[in-house]
Amino acid sequence: MACLSWSPSSLPGGVIGAREQPQRGPNNEEPTVVPATSGDVRPGGQQVFCGWDWGSTVHGVCLLDDNGVTVKTWMVNHADTELAALFVELAQLGDPALIPVAIERGEGLVVGLIARAGHPVLMVEPAAFKASRPRWGAAGAKSDAADAFMLADYARTDGHRLRRVEPLERATRELAALVRARTSLVEARTAASNQLWAILAEHWPGAAMLFHKLTAQITLAFLANYPTPRSAARLGEGRMHQFCRRHSY
């Protein structure tokens, strides 16, 4: 029998059984921020990226060049003087507008300070950042400095995927501060209410069910006058009527 065979040159393009492949996107290991112009980068002509690990008392900050090499790492206390000194030092390393800062927050005092210092603020979603941690190794130990390094490297490789936080107007910042304060107040009130409910359920359950709402003024007034079952032992219909009338209930 005759054997049918083809040589690579007998097919279009010289490829056997291969379809035309679409062009792929660029490798995401390349720098992701528009390259700076001359004079707008730190000495050596390299683009730099900053990672900011936010903390309530101490912040970890790391600066990388576009090769992923650490330029400098800071541990900064949450104080006006230290934060101001950090922004001055960053400005000495290059134009703040060309030093993006990656942080796991989209609002707040620190984010506002970074934006007002002239840095692009890149919002890193905590869930996405957590999922990407294995690329830096499997070690489970965490530190502020290490997290700052990973955030800076994340900005270097994935900055084009991150949402840029735009500076807010003063009125918007003040409104946001009021909203945060109210949220904190509501959370504190809810925690206190739950604690009071648990105490009453253990020692004075009748008082918790007497009125429509535990946090109502009439309920709190009743608990102030009759804090224990023993104090309410002689509370009859007449006294209860006077109590309700006294509080316009």
Side-chain angles (χ1 to χ4, degrees), residues 12 30 32 50 56 62 73 78 94 116 126 158 172 177 187 203 245:
E30 296 300 321
T32 56
C50 184
S56 57
C62 181
T73 300
H78 189 71
R116 287 195 291 276
D158 294 72
T172 306
E187 291 174 350
H203 302 287
R245 186 175 181 181

Side-chain angles (χ1 to χ4, degrees), residues 7-229:
S7 65
S9 59
S10 64
L11 294 177
V15 179
I16 300 177
R19 296 182 180 179
E20 183 179 355
Q21 298 295 323
Q23 293 184 350
R24 297 184 179 273
N27 190 316
N28 72 346
E29 295 299 320
E30 296 300 321
T32 56
V33 176
V34 177
T37 58
S38 176
D40 290 332
V41 295
R42 76 179 188 88
Q46 293 177 318
Q47 176 71 43
V48 289
F49 304 85
C50 184
W52 192 301
D53 184 59
W54 182 90
S56 57
T57 57
V58 179
H59 306 279
V61 182
C62 181
L63 198 67
L64 301 183
D65 64 19
D66 53 9
N67 292 320
V69 177
T70 301
V71 177
K72 191 169 182 179
T73 300
W74 297 264
M75 297 303 298
V76 185
N77 291 320
H78 189 71
D80 291 341
T81 54
E82 294 198 25
L83 290 172
L86 171 63
F87 290 126
V88 170
E89 192 169 351
L90 286 172
Q92 293 173 349
L93 295 172
D95 184 355
L98 297 170
I99 304 179
V101 178
I103 186 171
E104 289 183 275
R105 294 178 67 87
E107 60 180 9
L109 177 62
V110 172
V111 172
L113 291 175
I114 297 171
R116 287 195 291 276
H119 295 275
V121 181
L122 304 180
M123 166 61 185
V124 178
E125 291 292 342
F129 183 56
K130 182 179 180 181
S132 68
R133 282 181 176 274
R135 72 167 70 169
W136 294 285
K142 292 183 60 178
S143 68
D144 295 340
D147 284 355
F149 169 83
M150 289 187 283
L151 284 167
D153 200 43
Y154 195 66
R156 182 179 70 89
T157 60
D158 294 72
H160 60 290
R161 308 177 194 274
L162 303 179
R163 177 174 67 88
R164 178 168 175 171
V165 179
E166 298 297 334
L168 300 177
E169 297 293 337
R170 179 177 179 180
T172 306
R173 295 198 305 269
E174 292 176 351
L175 177 60
L178 289 174
V179 170
R180 290 195 298 270
R182 184 184 184 280
T183 300
S184 298
L185 182 61
V186 170
E187 291 174 350
R189 179 178 178 178
T190 301
S193 175
N194 292 340
Q195 186 178 16
L196 177 59
W197 183 274
I199 293 173
L200 291 176
E202 188 73 20
H203 302 287
W204 195 185
M209 305 297 296
L210 188 59
F211 297 100
H212 71 288
K213 192 175 182 181
L214 183 59
T215 56
Q217 291 297 323
I218 187 66
T219 306
L220 300 177
F222 181 84
L223 291 173
N225 288 3
Y226 307 101
T228 64

